[in-house]
Amino acid sequence: MRPLGESRYLCFRFLARCCCTAGMAAFLILWPLSVEKSLAGSFTPEQVKAAMLIKFTDFITWPEKAFDRSPDTFVIGILGSPKMFRLMAPLKGKKIQGRSLSVVQLKRWDPGQPVHLLYLGKSGTGLDPPPEGGTGSKATLTVSDSEEFLKAGGILSFITGENGRIGFAVNRTAQIRSGLVFSSSLLKLAQIRYYGYGVEK
């Protein structure tokens, strides 16, 4: 993990290369994925989470079958959070794992729609996540903001500590069933949960 001073330096170097739009400001938080309050204090929680969503893709491998219907496109779907969509929409066309990024705002979750990363905002967390984290012909990384989401079968949830630190928890049961492969570096930063198969811890 880089020292805080170096992280700030890299963030501002990145800003200099960007278009300086409000949406791009969200992506200053390049690393670490667990963001300290002192580094994230200048950004809204949504901006920090948006940055982390993009950074997650550097540490997760999707099975090739996930791209059968969209071989050249990586799709991020946003459900129930117009603010998150506005932050991420300017990144359309950015390369994610060698594919062009598409950001779509969803009114409902359609399991038949090719979505590789699905973020459910507060107004969307009442919906059941895709079965088994979106297994089948494609794998979907489902992300939200509550422990209940993980218990219902979601894969990843943001966690905000009392000190303002934003971290995340991973439901390993749902993650493994989804076919998504998380790097050991990502898992070391996560709080690990096991919900499913009759096991809850």
Side-chain angles (χ1 to χ4, degrees):
M1 186 176 295
R2 295 186 177 95
L4 180 59
E6 184 180 352
S7 295
R8 288 183 183 275
Y9 172 72
L10 290 175
C11 285
F12 285 105
R13 280 192 58 190
F14 181 77
L15 176 62
R17 298 199 303 268
C18 293
C19 299
C20 297
T21 65
M24 293 303 288
F27 300 93
L28 292 173
I29 313 298
L30 301 181
W31 187 255
L33 281 170
S34 183
V35 181
E36 295 287 355
K37 185 177 181 180
S38 58
L39 179 60
S42 300
F43 307 100
T44 68
E46 289 82 7
Q47 288 175 324
V48 173
K49 291 173 184 178
M52 291 171 73
L53 286 177
I54 292 296
K55 195 62 182 177
F56 288 144
T57 65
D58 289 339
F59 299 89
I60 298 172
T61 301
W62 275 255
E64 281 302 314
K65 66 180 181 180
F67 301 97
D68 285 348
R69 296 179 57 189
S70 57
D72 301 318
T73 307
F74 187 97
V75 182
I76 294 180
I78 309 295
L79 177 62
S81 180
K83 183 179 293 186
M84 183 68 77
F85 175 75
R86 289 194 297 270
L87 283 171
M88 302 198 72
L91 290 181
K92 178 181 178 181
K94 171 185 170 66
K95 291 297 182 181
I96 300 289
Q97 299 192 357
R99 296 176 170 88
S100 180
L101 175 63
S102 174
V103 182
V104 295
Q105 188 170 27
L106 304 174
K107 293 183 178 180
R108 63 183 179 86
W109 166 243
D110 178 3
Q113 185 174 2
V115 174
H116 305 104
L117 190 159
L118 174 65
Y119 176 80
L120 295 95
K122 289 183 178 180
S123 62
T125 53
L127 301 176
D128 290 333
E132 302 179 6
T135 57
S137 61
K138 59 184 178 60
T140 300
L141 174 64
T142 53
V143 183
S144 193
D145 299 283
S146 74
E147 190 79 13
E148 294 304 312
F149 178 75
L150 296 182
K151 291 180 180 179
I155 295 177
L156 191 149
S157 178
F158 290 115
I159 297 173
T160 302
E162 293 182 358
N163 63 350
R165 178 183 179 133
I166 297 178
F168 57 97
V170 171
N171 180 356
R172 283 281 280 161
T173 306
Q175 176 246 310
I176 292 169
R177 294 176 72 180
S178 73
L180 299 170
V181 178
F182 282 29
S183 74
S184 58
S185 298
L186 185 66
L187 291 174
K188 286 178 181 177
L189 292 172
Q191 295 184 29
I192 303 299
R193 307 284 193 264
Y194 292 92
Y195 294 125
Y197 294 117
V199 178
E200 292 193 4
K201 62 180 179 178

